[in-house]
Amino acid sequence: MGGGGGSGLLLQRKGVRATTHWMFMEQLRAMGVEAVEGQRVVRAVTTVPCWDEKEEEEEVENKRGGEKRGGEMKGWRNEKEVVLYTGGGVTAGIDFAFAVVRDVWGEDEAQAIQLKMEYFPALPLGLLTSRPEVVRKRRGKEAKVLERVEMEGKELKERREKVCARVKTRLQGKE
């Protein structure tokens, strides 16, 4: 889907990259999203339709909100550039927050918050230090743990795939 008032998810806009939990990357791809593996936070820039304030009063008076004119929604005339952040996993949420703070207030502020939080990730010995795609290539205990986690997540993954298929069908107007 392209910008300019098209329906659909923000992430489905042309050229938008995104990430999610490693177990659900295929579902992003199935929705037409450029899925980025190996990054806990992905920053993407796209455009979205925005309201033309000049026509807002006319819309309110019309009380039908969204009278069609030439196939476009009345009032939705401009596009605005927005930044979308996506992430996956629990610790990615912290990284995600740091990415937003850095982009909005600068690196100094992000570092100050990091110091105040005392956020210096260091895993206890014996825990995984590699992403699933690296662990998958190994043999031994780590690979068996990954296999178990994937089996435990199979039912959830199947349910999410069905939801994604329904959403995609609705966005394509087939339902």
Side-chain angles (χ1 to χ4, degrees), residues 7-88:
S7 62
L9 302 174
L10 285 174
L11 293 179
Q12 288 181 297
R13 297 182 173 281
K14 186 177 180 180
V16 172
R17 302 166 60 240
T19 193
T20 189
H21 188 281
W22 60 269
M23 203 180 302
F24 304 106
M25 295 299 285
E26 280 305 312
Q27 290 164 358
L28 275 182
R29 289 185 190 96
M31 296 295 292
V33 176
E34 183 184 338
V36 179
E37 291 191 46
Q39 292 184 26
R40 292 178 3 175
V41 177
V42 171
R43 180 186 189 274
V45 179
T46 189
T47 57
V48 295
C50 63
W51 189 256
D52 185 343
E53 293 179 23
K54 294 176 186 171
E55 295 192 23
E56 185 174 7
E57 285 183 30
E58 191 178 326
E59 276 298 318
V60 171
E61 288 175 19
N62 187 2
K63 294 192 181 175
R64 291 183 3 190
E67 177 184 326
K68 298 258 184 179
R69 185 184 338 142
E72 289 290 319
M73 291 296 285
K74 188 174 169 187
W76 296 96
R77 299 233 180 259
N78 300 315
E79 288 194 343
K80 180 179 181 180
E81 192 171 85
V82 296
V83 178
L84 302 174
Y85 296 88
T86 57

Side-chain angles (χ1 to χ4, degrees), residues 59-174:
E59 276 298 318
V60 171
E61 288 175 19
N62 187 2
K63 294 192 181 175
R64 291 183 3 190
E67 177 184 326
K68 298 258 184 179
R69 185 184 338 142
E72 289 290 319
M73 291 296 285
K74 188 174 169 187
W76 296 96
R77 299 233 180 259
N78 300 315
E79 288 194 343
K80 180 179 181 180
E81 192 171 85
V82 296
V83 178
L84 302 174
Y85 296 88
T86 57
V90 174
T91 57
I94 296 170
D95 297 343
F96 185 100
F98 279 121
V100 173
V101 169
R102 183 196 61 226
D103 284 358
V104 174
W105 291 286
E107 193 168 297
D108 288 351
E109 191 61 30
Q111 290 173 349
I113 292 170
Q114 180 185 8
L115 288 168
K116 291 173 188 174
M117 288 176 55
E118 200 172 348
Y119 179 66
F120 307 104
L123 293 173
L125 291 177
L127 292 183
L128 296 175
T129 57
S130 300
R131 295 190 47 83
E133 55 271 16
V134 174
V135 171
R136 190 172 283 112
K137 295 175 185 176
R138 297 180 183 156
R139 300 203 188 284
K141 182 181 169 192
E142 290 179 347
K144 289 179 192 226
V145 171
L146 176 61
E147 186 177 310
R148 188 188 88 218
V149 169
E150 289 176 324
M151 288 301 296
E152 290 170 355
K154 187 177 179 184
E155 183 182 331
L156 174 61
K157 193 171 180 179
E158 289 171 356
R159 285 196 317 256
R160 285 189 175 192
E161 286 170 355
K162 289 176 184 176
V163 169
C164 285
R166 286 196 311 263
V167 168
K168 188 174 182 181
T169 299
R170 285 183 184 163
L171 290 173
Q172 294 172 342
K174 294 179 183 177

